[in-house]
Amino acid sequence: LLIAIVISIVLISGCETTNNNNKYTSDNYDWKTTQTDKLKLNQDHTGQDFLANGIGEVTPVRYVDGDTTIFKASNGENITVRYNGINTPESTYRIEAWGFAASKYNKEAFEKALAEGAKIVLQTENMSERFDSTGKRYLAWVWFVYPNGDSRLLNLEIAELGYGHVKSASDTQYA
């Protein structure tokens, strides 16, 4: 009888009367990005062309999913870019948990950065290995470069916020 009373007290004291199901969602929790905040673009991109020089400004055309976007390069060509060093859950041809959240975050990050006057800069890791395993998508580091000179690496931010995981980044300049 004593054991039953103790178990009942533990169960009752563990029950909550308020609904906190949304307490720690990405929409209402101030996630910290200490690694992203510290890392800055240290290569000059002024007047450079991503296709020719491996770094340069581009304009987003369409957000495909959490780690892929179509950009307009400086020569007017549309290029598909897969973000280097990360992989987010799928949200296009097959649906995986958190795929839509990663895709939504990717799009909103661009919208916010562009609204704040940021330029979008792509940087390749290696000019000789510029394409992903499909051979159709460029691999790039995606930077937001703000008018005040600050910069943020979107690839790292996506991983740091938990929308994707680090993949094949150990031998890169931003490992």
Side-chain angles (χ1 to χ4, degrees):
L1 181 62
L2 183 61
I3 292 174
I5 291 172
V6 171
I7 291 173
S8 297
I9 290 171
V10 169
L11 289 175
I12 290 170
S13 66
C15 294
E16 288 188 35
T17 57
T18 59
N19 181 0
N20 285 326
N21 290 343
N22 294 325
K23 188 174 181 181
Y24 298 110
T25 68
S26 60
D27 293 332
N28 62 14
Y29 185 77
D30 185 25
W31 300 102
K32 304 296 182 210
T33 55
T34 55
Q35 297 303 311
T36 304
D37 296 344
K38 285 189 243 178
L39 185 64
K40 302 300 172 201
L41 178 61
N42 58 12
Q43 186 179 355
D44 185 25
H45 65 278
T46 309
Q48 300 292 319
D49 174 69
F50 173 71
L51 296 175
N53 308 109
I55 191 168
E57 291 180 31
V58 293
T59 304
V61 173
R62 185 168 66 91
Y63 311 101
V64 178
D65 61 18
D67 58 17
T68 306
T69 299
I70 299 172
F71 296 97
K72 183 176 293 285
S74 59
N75 69 358
E77 180 183 347
N78 283 351
I79 58 171
T80 303
V81 174
R82 173 88 164 62
Y83 303 175
N84 203 9
I86 65 166
N87 189 34
T88 62
E90 298 301 328
S91 65
T92 53
Y93 65 94
R94 82 173 185 256
I95 310 303
E96 295 177 337
W98 290 94
F100 288 128
S103 185
K104 178 183 175 202
Y105 181 80
N106 182 48
K107 180 181 179 184
E108 290 174 352
F110 275 99
E111 289 172 346
K112 181 176 184 255
L114 290 168
E116 293 173 354
K119 296 183 183 310
I120 310 304
V121 175
L122 298 181
Q123 179 186 31
T124 188
E125 178 68 27
N126 183 332
M127 288 293 281
S128 64
E129 298 174 10
R130 297 176 56 156
F131 292 96
D132 70 354
S133 60
T134 69
K136 298 177 183 176
R137 298 180 298 186
Y138 286 90
L139 288 171
W141 301 108
V142 182
W143 288 93
F144 297 150
V145 180
Y146 294 90
N148 66 0
D150 193 17
S151 58
R152 292 187 68 79
L153 180 58
L154 180 61
N155 313 48
L156 178 57
E157 186 171 281
I158 287 171
E160 195 168 13
L161 290 172
Y163 288 109
H165 63 272
V166 175
K167 179 180 180 185
S168 305
S170 60
D171 292 329
T172 67
Q173 61 186 318
Y174 301 117

PDB file of all heavy atoms in Angstrom, residues 87-101:
ATOM      1  N   ASN A  87      23.699  18.459 -44.920  1.00  0.00           N
ATOM      2  CA  ASN A  87      22.604  17.736 -45.554  1.00  0.00           C
ATOM      3  C   ASN A  87      21.365  17.953 -44.692  1.00  0.00           C
ATOM      4  O   ASN A  87      21.398  17.728 -43.485  1.00  0.00           O
ATOM      5  CB  ASN A  87      22.929  16.243 -45.657  1.00  0.00           C
ATOM      6  CG  ASN A  87      21.920  15.505 -46.493  1.00  0.00           C
ATOM      7  OD1 ASN A  87      21.385  16.044 -47.459  1.00  0.00           O
ATOM      8  ND2 ASN A  87      21.642  14.284 -46.129  1.00  0.00           N
ATOM      9  N   THR A  88      20.282  18.410 -45.322  1.00  0.00           N
ATOM     10  CA  THR A  88      19.024  18.589 -44.601  1.00  0.00           C
ATOM     11  C   THR A  88      18.061  17.487 -45.022  1.00  0.00           C
ATOM     12  O   THR A  88      18.217  16.895 -46.091  1.00  0.00           O
ATOM     13  CB  THR A  88      18.382  19.958 -44.893  1.00  0.00           C
ATOM     14  OG1 THR A  88      18.062  20.047 -46.281  1.00  0.00           O
ATOM     15  CG2 THR A  88      19.308  21.100 -44.489  1.00  0.00           C
ATOM     16  N   PRO A  89      17.053  17.210 -44.206  1.00  0.00           N
ATOM     17  CA  PRO A  89      16.061  16.200 -44.574  1.00  0.00           C
ATOM     18  C   PRO A  89      15.337  16.596 -45.865  1.00  0.00           C
ATOM     19  O   PRO A  89      15.185  17.777 -46.173  1.00  0.00           O
ATOM     20  CB  PRO A  89      15.095  16.202 -43.384  1.00  0.00           C
ATOM     21  CG  PRO A  89      15.861  16.804 -42.261  1.00  0.00           C
ATOM     22  CD  PRO A  89      16.816  17.775 -42.875  1.00  0.00           C
ATOM     23  N   GLU A  90      14.891  15.601 -46.591  1.00  0.00           N
ATOM     24  CA  GLU A  90      14.242  15.827 -47.888  1.00  0.00           C
ATOM     25  C   GLU A  90      12.839  16.398 -47.727  1.00  0.00           C
ATOM     26  O   GLU A  90      12.128  16.077 -46.783  1.00  0.00           O
ATOM     27  CB  GLU A  90      14.176  14.516 -48.684  1.00  0.00           C
ATOM     28  CG  GLU A  90      15.536  13.926 -49.015  1.00  0.00           C
ATOM     29  CD  GLU A  90      16.425  14.844 -49.825  1.00  0.00           C
ATOM     30  OE1 GLU A  90      15.896  15.637 -50.649  1.00  0.00           O
ATOM     31  OE2 GLU A  90      17.643  14.798 -49.633  1.00  0.00           O
ATOM     32  N   SER A  91      12.462  17.248 -48.696  1.00  0.00           N
ATOM     33  CA  SER A  91      11.112  17.815 -48.701  1.00  0.00           C
ATOM     34  C   SER A  91      10.568  17.965 -50.112  1.00  0.00           C
ATOM     35  O   SER A  91       9.593  18.655 -50.332  1.00  0.00           O
ATOM     36  CB  SER A  91      11.102  19.182 -48.006  1.00  0.00           C
ATOM     37  OG  SER A  91      11.883  20.104 -48.735  1.00  0.00           O
ATOM     38  N   THR A  92      11.205  17.305 -51.072  1.00  0.00           N
ATOM     39  CA  THR A  92      10.732  17.430 -52.456  1.00  0.00           C
ATOM     40  C   THR A  92      10.244  16.080 -52.985  1.00  0.00           C
ATOM     41  O   THR A  92       9.071  15.788 -52.907  1.00  0.00           O
ATOM     42  CB  THR A  92      11.845  17.999 -53.357  1.00  0.00           C
ATOM     43  OG1 THR A  92      13.030  17.214 -53.216  1.00  0.00           O
ATOM     44  CG2 THR A  92      12.160  19.436 -52.998  1.00  0.00           C
ATOM     45  N   TYR A  93      11.124  15.250 -53.489  1.00  0.00           N
ATOM     46  CA  TYR A  93      10.695  13.985 -54.085  1.00  0.00           C
ATOM     47  C   TYR A  93      10.302  12.944 -53.050  1.00  0.00           C
ATOM     48  O   TYR A  93       9.559  12.017 -53.337  1.00  0.00           O
ATOM     49  CB  TYR A  93      11.769  13.430 -55.027  1.00  0.00           C
ATOM     50  CG  TYR A  93      13.056  13.036 -54.343  1.00  0.00           C
ATOM     51  CD1 TYR A  93      13.278  11.731 -53.932  1.00  0.00           C
ATOM     52  CD2 TYR A  93      14.054  13.970 -54.112  1.00  0.00           C
ATOM     53  CE1 TYR A  93      14.451  11.364 -53.305  1.00  0.00           C
ATOM     54  CE2 TYR A  93      15.232  13.617 -53.494  1.00  0.00           C
ATOM     55  CZ  TYR A  93      15.428  12.313 -53.094  1.00  0.00           C
ATOM     56  OH  TYR A  93      16.585  11.955 -52.474  1.00  0.00           O
ATOM     57  N   ARG A  94      10.821  13.046 -51.858  1.00  0.00           N
ATOM     58  CA  ARG A  94      10.346  12.237 -50.733  1.00  0.00           C
ATOM     59  C   ARG A  94      10.347  13.131 -49.503  1.00  0.00           C
ATOM     60  O   ARG A  94      11.106  14.093 -49.436  1.00  0.00           O
ATOM     61  CB  ARG A  94      11.183  10.972 -50.557  1.00  0.00           C
ATOM     62  CG  ARG A  94      12.445  11.122 -49.813  1.00  0.00           C
ATOM     63  CD  ARG A  94      13.110   9.740 -49.554  1.00  0.00           C
ATOM     64  NE  ARG A  94      14.251   9.962 -48.728  1.00  0.00           N
ATOM     65  CZ  ARG A  94      15.496   9.943 -49.153  1.00  0.00           C
ATOM     66  NH1 ARG A  94      15.764   9.660 -50.395  1.00  0.00           N
ATOM     67  NH2 ARG A  94      16.482  10.185 -48.328  1.00  0.00           N
ATOM     68  N   ILE A  95       9.490  12.823 -48.587  1.00  0.00           N
ATOM     69  CA  ILE A  95       9.317  13.685 -47.420  1.00  0.00           C
ATOM     70  C   ILE A  95       9.912  13.005 -46.194  1.00  0.00           C
ATOM     71  O   ILE A  95       9.589  11.870 -45.884  1.00  0.00           O
ATOM     72  CB  ILE A  95       7.818  13.976 -47.168  1.00  0.00           C
ATOM     73  CG1 ILE A  95       7.127  14.461 -48.455  1.00  0.00           C
ATOM     74  CG2 ILE A  95       7.643  14.961 -46.026  1.00  0.00           C
ATOM     75  CD1 ILE A  95       7.735  15.687 -49.084  1.00  0.00           C
ATOM     76  N   GLU A  96      10.803  13.721 -45.504  1.00  0.00           N
ATOM     77  CA  GLU A  96      11.410  13.227 -44.272  1.00  0.00           C
ATOM     78  C   GLU A  96      11.070  14.194 -43.136  1.00  0.00           C
ATOM     79  O   GLU A  96      10.786  15.376 -43.377  1.00  0.00           O
ATOM     80  CB  GLU A  96      12.929  13.129 -44.429  1.00  0.00           C
ATOM     81  CG  GLU A  96      13.361  12.115 -45.456  1.00  0.00           C
ATOM     82  CD  GLU A  96      14.867  12.079 -45.658  1.00  0.00           C
ATOM     83  OE1 GLU A  96      15.559  13.078 -45.363  1.00  0.00           O
ATOM     84  OE2 GLU A  96      15.353  11.038 -46.117  1.00  0.00           O
ATOM     85  N   ALA A  97      11.101  13.678 -41.930  1.00  0.00           N
ATOM     86  CA  ALA A  97      10.845  14.514 -40.762  1.00  0.00           C
ATOM     87  C   ALA A  97      11.774  15.725 -40.778  1.00  0.00           C
ATOM     88  O   ALA A  97      12.957  15.590 -41.055  1.00  0.00           O
ATOM     89  CB  ALA A  97      11.043  13.703 -39.487  1.00  0.00           C
ATOM     90  N   TRP A  98      11.271  16.874 -40.497  1.00  0.00           N
ATOM     91  CA  TRP A  98      11.960  18.153 -40.455  1.00  0.00           C
ATOM     92  C   TRP A  98      12.343  18.693 -41.835  1.00  0.00           C
ATOM     93  O   TRP A  98      12.952  19.753 -41.937  1.00  0.00           O
ATOM     94  CB  TRP A  98      13.195  18.114 -39.546  1.00  0.00           C
ATOM     95  CG  TRP A  98      12.829  18.013 -38.110  1.00  0.00           C
ATOM     96  CD1 TRP A  98      12.712  16.870 -37.369  1.00  0.00           C
ATOM     97  CD2 TRP A  98      12.465  19.076 -37.240  1.00  0.00           C
ATOM     98  NE1 TRP A  98      12.315  17.153 -36.097  1.00  0.00           N
ATOM     99  CE2 TRP A  98      12.155  18.516 -35.982  1.00  0.00           C
ATOM    100  CE3 TRP A  98      12.375  20.454 -37.402  1.00  0.00           C
ATOM    101  CZ2 TRP A  98      11.769  19.284 -34.906  1.00  0.00           C
ATOM    102  CZ3 TRP A  98      11.997  21.211 -36.321  1.00  0.00           C
ATOM    103  CH2 TRP A  98      11.700  20.630 -35.091  1.00  0.00           C
ATOM    104  N   GLY A  99      11.984  17.982 -42.896  1.00  0.00           N
ATOM    105  CA  GLY A  99      12.306  18.463 -44.241  1.00  0.00           C
ATOM    106  C   GLY A  99      11.628  19.777 -44.577  1.00  0.00           C
ATOM    107  O   GLY A  99      12.254  20.702 -45.099  1.00  0.00           O
ATOM    108  N   PHE A 100      10.331  19.881 -44.273  1.00  0.00           N
ATOM    109  CA  PHE A 100       9.611  21.126 -44.543  1.00  0.00           C
ATOM    110  C   PHE A 100      10.111  22.258 -43.655  1.00  0.00           C
ATOM    111  O   PHE A 100      10.205  23.405 -44.092  1.00  0.00           O
ATOM    112  CB  PHE A 100       8.098  20.940 -44.383  1.00  0.00           C
ATOM    113  CG  PHE A 100       7.480  20.132 -45.490  1.00  0.00           C
ATOM    114  CD1 PHE A 100       6.684  19.041 -45.196  1.00  0.00           C
ATOM    115  CD2 PHE A 100       7.681  20.454 -46.822  1.00  0.00           C
ATOM    116  CE1 PHE A 100       6.112  18.298 -46.209  1.00  0.00           C
ATOM    117  CE2 PHE A 100       7.120  19.720 -47.841  1.00  0.00           C
ATOM    118  CZ  PHE A 100       6.330  18.629 -47.539  1.00  0.00           C
ATOM    119  N   ALA A 101      10.451  21.944 -42.413  1.00  0.00           N
ATOM    120  CA  ALA A 101      10.976  22.973 -41.499  1.00  0.00           C
ATOM    121  C   ALA A 101      12.311  23.509 -42.014  1.00  0.00           C
ATOM    122  O   ALA A 101      12.557  24.720 -41.983  1.00  0.00           O
ATOM    123  CB  ALA A 101      11.116  22.410 -40.089  1.00  0.00           C
TER     124      ALA A 101
END
